[in-house]
Amino acid sequence: MDKLIIEGGTPLKGTIDISGSKNAALPILFAGILLDAPLVYTNVPDLRDIHTTIKLLNVLGCTCGYSGHRVELAPGSLLPEAPYDLVRTMRASVLCLGPLLARIGQARVALPGGCAIGARPVDQHLKGLELMGATFELEEGYIMGHCDRLRGAHITFDMPTVGGTENLLMAAVLADGETTLENAAREPEVVDLANFLISCGARIEGHGSSTIRIRGVSSLRGTEYAIMADRIEAGTFLVAAGITGGELLLKNCPFTELESVIAKLESMGLAIEQRPEGVLARYQGVLRGADVKTRPYPGFPTDMQAQIMALMCLAEGSSMVEESIFENRFMHVLELVRMGADIRISGHTAMVRGVSRLTGAPVMASDLRASASLVLAGLAARGTTHVQRIYHLDRGYERIENKLNAVGARIRREKE
């Protein structure tokens, strides 16, 4: 198992290329199950979750391979089972459920695993698919789904759910008739999935709004599609510029999709400017406290909560973070406190009082975004920080230590 050793206290300066989005790539890869023609994906990030997805697609009967941020997928004779050994490491693997039911009318998918940041139940996925004609049983930790052919339905989500919206969107493109998804997730990654499906011949309207309409088609054609840039990786590097007192130019940085994050960082004192060559983030000599409440898009993303909390630790005054999406997403707090942060938790709210400095310490990563927050804190801290259990980090950030070292960081990877 690897760990990162970070020598902190160096302002970062230079240019970083933003990778393709993991959260967009995963559902778009699973959407390949829907096609009976070859396709090519480009700008695919080189991440553990991506390679796990490719393994799963091969197990399900597709021929799928990765090389140089490019994935080529050829359809085959599909099998219905997504085994536990692959699914247990990645919650997104449940996204094969809708495509399998749409293509072959059956699916046997292990209940998903992944980061321990909340229950994230799949009940919204199953309720929607049942309205489309599927039936389900739970057997020995597997979701067993069957249908003759999915049919269009009017589905209203109890709450916006990214995974549920994606699963039902994929299922609906081959369903008989029209499907309407109400209270749908509006995240850019959902829009990217819809745009990919449209490029394959799907008929979709309203993606990016809370009401999506899909008219089913008999088949989809092959295409070549570039995955959108990763707004969470970009947001993490924006924070890195501020927390180290540096200046970073982010190439291929999604700007509009980061409006809520950029607005909050600007209110904390960062200068952020969109330029033809990328997005420039610059520290201006002082950081101010701010209040954040995580919300579904276009609100402040829960996937940036841990990172901006690391920045708040060094901001003047007090800040407040309210986590309204996941009930268990403050596990990074105790590790930040080990580094000298002043944070107190009450229910789903964290109160952060800024300190003059953080100090390096051995810390333990509990999930993907918590890992990023500890790396950020280590970059700013005086002394040496050891971030352990970074396999979480490798699920969502492509060679983060290489990108950061190229702009002045001092990070090395070692075996624990």
Side-chain angles (χ1 to χ4, degrees):
M1 193 178 298
D2 290 354
K3 67 177 178 179
L4 291 183
I5 300 174
I6 306 170
E7 304 293 339
T10 302
L12 302 184
K13 188 165 187 177
T15 301
I16 295 178
D17 286 311
I18 302 303
S19 299
S21 167
K22 175 189 81 108
N23 287 344
L26 294 179
I28 291 175
L29 285 171
F30 281 119
I33 295 170
L34 296 165
L35 277 69
D36 52 13
L39 66 151
V40 175
Y41 305 102
T42 59
N43 200 37
V44 182
D46 188 1
L47 300 170
R48 284 183 54 176
D49 278 9
I50 296 295
H51 294 288
T52 299
T53 299
I54 290 170
K55 288 179 185 178
L56 181 52
L57 287 168
N58 281 300
V59 167
L60 292 171
C62 300
T63 301
C64 194
Y66 184 98
S67 178
H69 299 105
R70 177 183 175 96
V71 173
E72 296 186 9
L73 185 149
S77 299
L78 290 172
L79 302 173
E81 181 164 336
Y84 175 72
D85 284 348
L86 288 174
V87 172
R88 68 184 175 86
T89 65
M90 187 180 68
R91 289 180 184 269
S93 51
V94 76
L95 293 174
C96 68
L97 184 62
L100 284 173
L101 289 171
R103 274 298 305 279
I104 61 175
Q106 57 180 321
R108 187 173 189 266
V109 181
L111 287 168
C115 290
I117 59 172
R120 290 201 276 192
V122 297
D123 62 309
Q124 295 291 296
H125 306 231
L126 303 186
K127 288 177 182 177
L129 290 167
E130 284 175 339
L131 289 172
M132 298 176 71
T135 59
F136 294 99
E137 298 174 359
L138 185 62
E139 179 182 289
E140 298 178 344
Y142 279 80
I143 302 167
M144 311 280 290
H146 302 274
C147 66
D148 292 327
R149 183 183 178 188
L150 294 177
R151 59 181 182 269
H154 193 106
I155 299 163
T156 302
F157 293 107
D158 294 344
M159 64 194 75
T161 160
V162 173
T165 301
E166 292 168 341
N167 229 337
L168 296 181
L169 178 59
M170 289 187 283
V173 297
L174 293 183
D176 185 16
E178 183 171 301
T179 299
T180 302
L181 304 179
E182 299 276 9
N183 200 22
R186 300 166 57 188
E187 271 70 6
E189 295 78 15
V190 174
V191 175
D192 206 33
L193 171 61
N195 288 337
F196 163 73
L197 293 169
I198 290 169
S199 75
C200 297
R203 299 171 64 185
I204 303 170
E205 296 177 349
H207 44 298
S209 75
S210 58
T211 301
I212 305 176
R213 292 183 175 85
I214 311 104
R215 182 165 292 278
V217 297
S218 59
S219 64
L220 297 174
R221 60 178 178 267
T223 190
E224 180 169 325
Y225 191 81
I227 305 297
M228 67 175 286
D230 193 322
R231 64 189 174 107
I232 304 303
E233 183 194 45
T236 301
F237 290 135
L238 292 176
V239 172
I243 202 169
T244 65
E247 179 176 312
L248 293 175
L249 177 69
L250 306 185
K251 298 179 71 174
N252 307 312
C253 175
F255 190 84
T256 302
E257 294 86 347
L258 276 169
E259 278 186 351
S260 63
V261 173
I262 289 171
K264 194 60 62 174
L265 293 177
E266 288 178 332
S267 76
M268 294 183 70
L270 270 69
I272 301 176
E273 178 185 353
Q274 188 175 23
R275 296 184 172 184
E277 64 272 24
V279 174
L280 183 69
R282 186 175 69 254
Y283 175 74
Q284 298 189 105
V286 64
L287 292 173
R288 298 182 292 272
D291 294 340
V292 165
K293 180 176 182 178
T294 62
R295 296 183 183 274
Y297 189 85
F300 192 93
T302 181
D303 278 354
M304 279 298 302
Q305 178 256 105
Q307 297 94 308
I308 201 167
M309 188 184 292
L311 187 65
M312 291 170 173
C313 292
L314 293 173
E316 291 183 357
S318 297
S319 303
M320 182 178 72
V321 178
E322 183 178 349
E323 176 57 60
S324 69
I325 308 296
F326 295 133
E327 69 275 13
N328 201 21
R329 205 161 200 177
F330 282 151
M331 290 190 289
H332 52 282
V333 168
L334 291 178
E335 303 305 300
L336 290 172
V337 169
R338 287 172 54 80
M339 299 179 71
D342 184 352
I343 310 172
R344 289 171 173 78
I345 299 174
S346 177
H348 299 297
T349 301
M351 299 296 299
V352 185
R353 190 184 302 275
V355 297
S356 59
R357 70 172 184 265
L358 297 173
T359 305
V363 290
M364 188 81 69
S366 56
D367 61 71
L368 169 55
R369 305 308 172 184
S371 306
S373 75
L374 298 178
V375 170
L376 291 169
L379 290 170
R382 177 181 297 179
T384 304
T385 299
H386 293 241
V387 183
Q388 300 171 18
R389 286 174 50 175
I390 59 166
Y391 60 85
H392 292 295
L393 191 72
D394 292 338
R395 289 183 48 240
Y397 292 89
E398 186 174 2
R399 292 182 291 277
I400 191 171
E401 70 272 23
N402 293 353
K403 291 189 176 186
L404 289 169
N405 283 336
V407 293
R410 294 174 294 171
I411 307 176
R412 67 183 187 274
R413 181 182 291 248
E414 290 186 0
K415 296 289 183 184
E416 289 192 35

PDB file of all heavy atoms in Angstrom, residues 108-129:
ATOM      1  N   ARG A 108     -27.753  -9.162 -13.050  1.00  0.00           N
ATOM      2  CA  ARG A 108     -27.439  -9.651 -11.707  1.00  0.00           C
ATOM      3  C   ARG A 108     -26.217  -8.863 -11.239  1.00  0.00           C
ATOM      4  O   ARG A 108     -25.090  -9.158 -11.617  1.00  0.00           O
ATOM      5  CB  ARG A 108     -27.159 -11.154 -11.712  1.00  0.00           C
ATOM      6  CG  ARG A 108     -26.987 -11.758 -10.313  1.00  0.00           C
ATOM      7  CD  ARG A 108     -26.886 -13.290 -10.380  1.00  0.00           C
ATOM      8  NE  ARG A 108     -26.922 -13.882  -9.056  1.00  0.00           N
ATOM      9  CZ  ARG A 108     -25.838 -14.197  -8.343  1.00  0.00           C
ATOM     10  NH1 ARG A 108     -24.632 -13.985  -8.863  1.00  0.00           N
ATOM     11  NH2 ARG A 108     -25.952 -14.730  -7.153  1.00  0.00           N
ATOM     12  N   VAL A 109     -26.472  -7.838 -10.430  1.00  0.00           N
ATOM     13  CA  VAL A 109     -25.444  -6.871 -10.078  1.00  0.00           C
ATOM     14  C   VAL A 109     -25.251  -6.867  -8.567  1.00  0.00           C
ATOM     15  O   VAL A 109     -26.208  -6.681  -7.812  1.00  0.00           O
ATOM     16  CB  VAL A 109     -25.832  -5.459 -10.568  1.00  0.00           C
ATOM     17  CG1 VAL A 109     -24.742  -4.449 -10.217  1.00  0.00           C
ATOM     18  CG2 VAL A 109     -26.082  -5.465 -12.075  1.00  0.00           C
ATOM     19  N   ALA A 110     -24.021  -7.072  -8.129  1.00  0.00           N
ATOM     20  CA  ALA A 110     -23.729  -7.038  -6.698  1.00  0.00           C
ATOM     21  C   ALA A 110     -23.991  -5.643  -6.151  1.00  0.00           C
ATOM     22  O   ALA A 110     -23.765  -4.636  -6.835  1.00  0.00           O
ATOM     23  CB  ALA A 110     -22.280  -7.441  -6.444  1.00  0.00           C
ATOM     24  N   LEU A 111     -24.500  -5.584  -4.930  1.00  0.00           N
ATOM     25  CA  LEU A 111     -24.682  -4.287  -4.288  1.00  0.00           C
ATOM     26  C   LEU A 111     -23.338  -3.579  -4.215  1.00  0.00           C
ATOM     27  O   LEU A 111     -22.324  -4.187  -3.858  1.00  0.00           O
ATOM     28  CB  LEU A 111     -25.273  -4.451  -2.892  1.00  0.00           C
ATOM     29  CG  LEU A 111     -26.757  -4.836  -2.852  1.00  0.00           C
ATOM     30  CD1 LEU A 111     -27.156  -5.257  -1.450  1.00  0.00           C
ATOM     31  CD2 LEU A 111     -27.614  -3.681  -3.328  1.00  0.00           C
ATOM     32  N   PRO A 112     -23.287  -2.293  -4.559  1.00  0.00           N
ATOM     33  CA  PRO A 112     -22.002  -1.625  -4.768  1.00  0.00           C
ATOM     34  C   PRO A 112     -21.287  -1.284  -3.487  1.00  0.00           C
ATOM     35  O   PRO A 112     -21.874  -1.142  -2.414  1.00  0.00           O
ATOM     36  CB  PRO A 112     -22.393  -0.359  -5.542  1.00  0.00           C
ATOM     37  CG  PRO A 112     -23.802  -0.098  -5.136  1.00  0.00           C
ATOM     38  CD  PRO A 112     -24.427  -1.441  -4.914  1.00  0.00           C
ATOM     39  N   GLY A 113     -19.950  -1.083  -3.633  1.00  0.00           N
ATOM     40  CA  GLY A 113     -19.110  -0.594  -2.545  1.00  0.00           C
ATOM     41  C   GLY A 113     -18.573   0.771  -2.903  1.00  0.00           C
ATOM     42  O   GLY A 113     -19.189   1.521  -3.638  1.00  0.00           O
ATOM     43  N   GLY A 114     -17.355   1.096  -2.379  1.00  0.00           N
ATOM     44  CA  GLY A 114     -16.742   2.386  -2.696  1.00  0.00           C
ATOM     45  C   GLY A 114     -16.362   3.127  -1.438  1.00  0.00           C
ATOM     46  O   GLY A 114     -16.087   2.521  -0.412  1.00  0.00           O
ATOM     47  N   CYS A 115     -16.363   4.451  -1.482  1.00  0.00           N
ATOM     48  CA  CYS A 115     -15.996   5.264  -0.321  1.00  0.00           C
ATOM     49  C   CYS A 115     -17.036   5.140   0.788  1.00  0.00           C
ATOM     50  O   CYS A 115     -18.230   5.080   0.527  1.00  0.00           O
ATOM     51  CB  CYS A 115     -15.889   6.741  -0.730  1.00  0.00           C
ATOM     52  SG  CYS A 115     -14.484   7.119  -1.773  1.00  0.00           S
ATOM     53  N   ALA A 116     -16.552   5.148   2.027  1.00  0.00           N
ATOM     54  CA  ALA A 116     -17.446   5.036   3.176  1.00  0.00           C
ATOM     55  C   ALA A 116     -17.926   6.411   3.617  1.00  0.00           C
ATOM     56  O   ALA A 116     -17.647   6.863   4.720  1.00  0.00           O
ATOM     57  CB  ALA A 116     -16.729   4.338   4.324  1.00  0.00           C
ATOM     58  N   ILE A 117     -18.672   7.110   2.762  1.00  0.00           N
ATOM     59  CA  ILE A 117     -19.095   8.476   3.096  1.00  0.00           C
ATOM     60  C   ILE A 117     -20.600   8.584   3.212  1.00  0.00           C
ATOM     61  O   ILE A 117     -21.132   9.670   3.310  1.00  0.00           O
ATOM     62  CB  ILE A 117     -18.576   9.483   2.048  1.00  0.00           C
ATOM     63  CG1 ILE A 117     -19.080   9.133   0.650  1.00  0.00           C
ATOM     64  CG2 ILE A 117     -17.071   9.569   2.081  1.00  0.00           C
ATOM     65  CD1 ILE A 117     -18.765  10.205  -0.380  1.00  0.00           C
ATOM     66  N   GLY A 118     -21.313   7.479   3.191  1.00  0.00           N
ATOM     67  CA  GLY A 118     -22.760   7.553   3.327  1.00  0.00           C
ATOM     68  C   GLY A 118     -23.419   6.349   2.703  1.00  0.00           C
ATOM     69  O   GLY A 118     -22.809   5.569   1.981  1.00  0.00           O
ATOM     70  N   ALA A 119     -24.702   6.207   3.011  1.00  0.00           N
ATOM     71  CA  ALA A 119     -25.434   5.028   2.562  1.00  0.00           C
ATOM     72  C   ALA A 119     -25.626   5.004   1.051  1.00  0.00           C
ATOM     73  O   ALA A 119     -25.451   3.983   0.403  1.00  0.00           O
ATOM     74  CB  ALA A 119     -26.792   4.984   3.259  1.00  0.00           C
ATOM     75  N   ARG A 120     -25.963   6.163   0.467  1.00  0.00           N
ATOM     76  CA  ARG A 120     -26.186   6.270  -0.973  1.00  0.00           C
ATOM     77  C   ARG A 120     -26.974   5.071  -1.527  1.00  0.00           C
ATOM     78  O   ARG A 120     -26.500   4.329  -2.379  1.00  0.00           O
ATOM     79  CB  ARG A 120     -24.855   6.415  -1.706  1.00  0.00           C
ATOM     80  CG  ARG A 120     -24.196   7.750  -1.454  1.00  0.00           C
ATOM     81  CD  ARG A 120     -23.194   8.108  -2.516  1.00  0.00           C
ATOM     82  NE  ARG A 120     -21.904   7.512  -2.261  1.00  0.00           N
ATOM     83  CZ  ARG A 120     -20.786   7.846  -2.919  1.00  0.00           C
ATOM     84  NH1 ARG A 120     -20.841   8.754  -3.863  1.00  0.00           N
ATOM     85  NH2 ARG A 120     -19.659   7.270  -2.647  1.00  0.00           N
ATOM     86  N   PRO A 121     -28.180   4.825  -1.044  1.00  0.00           N
ATOM     87  CA  PRO A 121     -28.931   3.646  -1.475  1.00  0.00           C
ATOM     88  C   PRO A 121     -29.322   3.739  -2.936  1.00  0.00           C
ATOM     89  O   PRO A 121     -29.369   4.829  -3.519  1.00  0.00           O
ATOM     90  CB  PRO A 121     -30.173   3.675  -0.575  1.00  0.00           C
ATOM     91  CG  PRO A 121     -30.347   5.119  -0.227  1.00  0.00           C
ATOM     92  CD  PRO A 121     -28.967   5.687  -0.126  1.00  0.00           C
ATOM     93  N   VAL A 122     -29.602   2.560  -3.524  1.00  0.00           N
ATOM     94  CA  VAL A 122     -29.974   2.512  -4.938  1.00  0.00           C
ATOM     95  C   VAL A 122     -31.484   2.401  -5.099  1.00  0.00           C
ATOM     96  O   VAL A 122     -31.956   2.048  -6.174  1.00  0.00           O
ATOM     97  CB  VAL A 122     -29.262   1.330  -5.644  1.00  0.00           C
ATOM     98  CG1 VAL A 122     -27.759   1.530  -5.611  1.00  0.00           C
ATOM     99  CG2 VAL A 122     -29.651  -0.006  -5.011  1.00  0.00           C
ATOM    100  N   ASP A 123     -32.252   2.719  -4.063  1.00  0.00           N
ATOM    101  CA  ASP A 123     -33.701   2.542  -4.143  1.00  0.00           C
ATOM    102  C   ASP A 123     -34.324   3.415  -5.232  1.00  0.00           C
ATOM    103  O   ASP A 123     -35.288   3.008  -5.887  1.00  0.00           O
ATOM    104  CB  ASP A 123     -34.363   2.824  -2.788  1.00  0.00           C
ATOM    105  CG  ASP A 123     -34.159   4.250  -2.307  1.00  0.00           C
ATOM    106  OD1 ASP A 123     -32.987   4.687  -2.289  1.00  0.00           O
ATOM    107  OD2 ASP A 123     -35.138   4.923  -1.961  1.00  0.00           O
ATOM    108  N   GLN A 124     -33.761   4.619  -5.464  1.00  0.00           N
ATOM    109  CA  GLN A 124     -34.317   5.489  -6.504  1.00  0.00           C
ATOM    110  C   GLN A 124     -34.107   4.879  -7.899  1.00  0.00           C
ATOM    111  O   GLN A 124     -34.954   5.017  -8.783  1.00  0.00           O
ATOM    112  CB  GLN A 124     -33.676   6.873  -6.439  1.00  0.00           C
ATOM    113  CG  GLN A 124     -33.969   7.643  -5.164  1.00  0.00           C
ATOM    114  CD  GLN A 124     -35.431   8.059  -5.075  1.00  0.00           C
ATOM    115  OE1 GLN A 124     -35.906   8.835  -5.897  1.00  0.00           O
ATOM    116  NE2 GLN A 124     -36.146   7.532  -4.103  1.00  0.00           N
ATOM    117  N   HIS A 125     -32.978   4.207  -8.079  1.00  0.00           N
ATOM    118  CA  HIS A 125     -32.721   3.502  -9.340  1.00  0.00           C
ATOM    119  C   HIS A 125     -33.789   2.419  -9.556  1.00  0.00           C
ATOM    120  O   HIS A 125     -34.391   2.315 -10.638  1.00  0.00           O
ATOM    121  CB  HIS A 125     -31.348   2.823  -9.325  1.00  0.00           C
ATOM    122  CG  HIS A 125     -30.185   3.705  -8.995  1.00  0.00           C
ATOM    123  ND1 HIS A 125     -29.051   3.759  -9.781  1.00  0.00           N
ATOM    124  CD2 HIS A 125     -29.948   4.544  -7.962  1.00  0.00           C
ATOM    125  CE1 HIS A 125     -28.183   4.596  -9.238  1.00  0.00           C
ATOM    126  NE2 HIS A 125     -28.707   5.071  -8.137  1.00  0.00           N
ATOM    127  N   LEU A 126     -34.004   1.616  -8.508  1.00  0.00           N
ATOM    128  CA  LEU A 126     -34.898   0.462  -8.644  1.00  0.00           C
ATOM    129  C   LEU A 126     -36.350   0.885  -8.813  1.00  0.00           C
ATOM    130  O   LEU A 126     -37.087   0.311  -9.630  1.00  0.00           O
ATOM    131  CB  LEU A 126     -34.753  -0.457  -7.420  1.00  0.00           C
ATOM    132  CG  LEU A 126     -33.342  -0.985  -7.130  1.00  0.00           C
ATOM    133  CD1 LEU A 126     -33.373  -1.978  -5.986  1.00  0.00           C
ATOM    134  CD2 LEU A 126     -32.716  -1.610  -8.365  1.00  0.00           C
ATOM    135  N   LYS A 127     -36.777   1.913  -8.075  1.00  0.00           N
ATOM    136  CA  LYS A 127     -38.166   2.387  -8.203  1.00  0.00           C
ATOM    137  C   LYS A 127     -38.455   2.857  -9.625  1.00  0.00           C
ATOM    138  O   LYS A 127     -39.507   2.557 -10.194  1.00  0.00           O
ATOM    139  CB  LYS A 127     -38.432   3.523  -7.205  1.00  0.00           C
ATOM    140  CG  LYS A 127     -38.531   3.076  -5.752  1.00  0.00           C
ATOM    141  CD  LYS A 127     -38.719   4.290  -4.839  1.00  0.00           C
ATOM    142  CE  LYS A 127     -38.765   3.887  -3.377  1.00  0.00           C
ATOM    143  NZ  LYS A 127     -38.883   5.078  -2.491  1.00  0.00           N
ATOM    144  N   GLY A 128     -37.510   3.595 -10.196  1.00  0.00           N
ATOM    145  CA  GLY A 128     -37.701   4.078 -11.550  1.00  0.00           C
ATOM    146  C   GLY A 128     -37.743   2.955 -12.561  1.00  0.00           C
ATOM    147  O   GLY A 128     -38.602   2.931 -13.456  1.00  0.00           O
ATOM    148  N   LEU A 129     -36.844   1.995 -12.430  1.00  0.00           N
ATOM    149  CA  LEU A 129     -36.818   0.865 -13.359  1.00  0.00           C
ATOM    150  C   LEU A 129     -38.053  -0.010 -13.208  1.00  0.00           C
ATOM    151  O   LEU A 129     -38.554  -0.578 -14.191  1.00  0.00           O
ATOM    152  CB  LEU A 129     -35.532   0.052 -13.156  1.00  0.00           C
ATOM    153  CG  LEU A 129     -34.243   0.751 -13.607  1.00  0.00           C
ATOM    154  CD1 LEU A 129     -33.017   0.027 -13.076  1.00  0.00           C
ATOM    155  CD2 LEU A 129     -34.187   0.841 -15.135  1.00  0.00           C
TER     156      LEU A 129
END
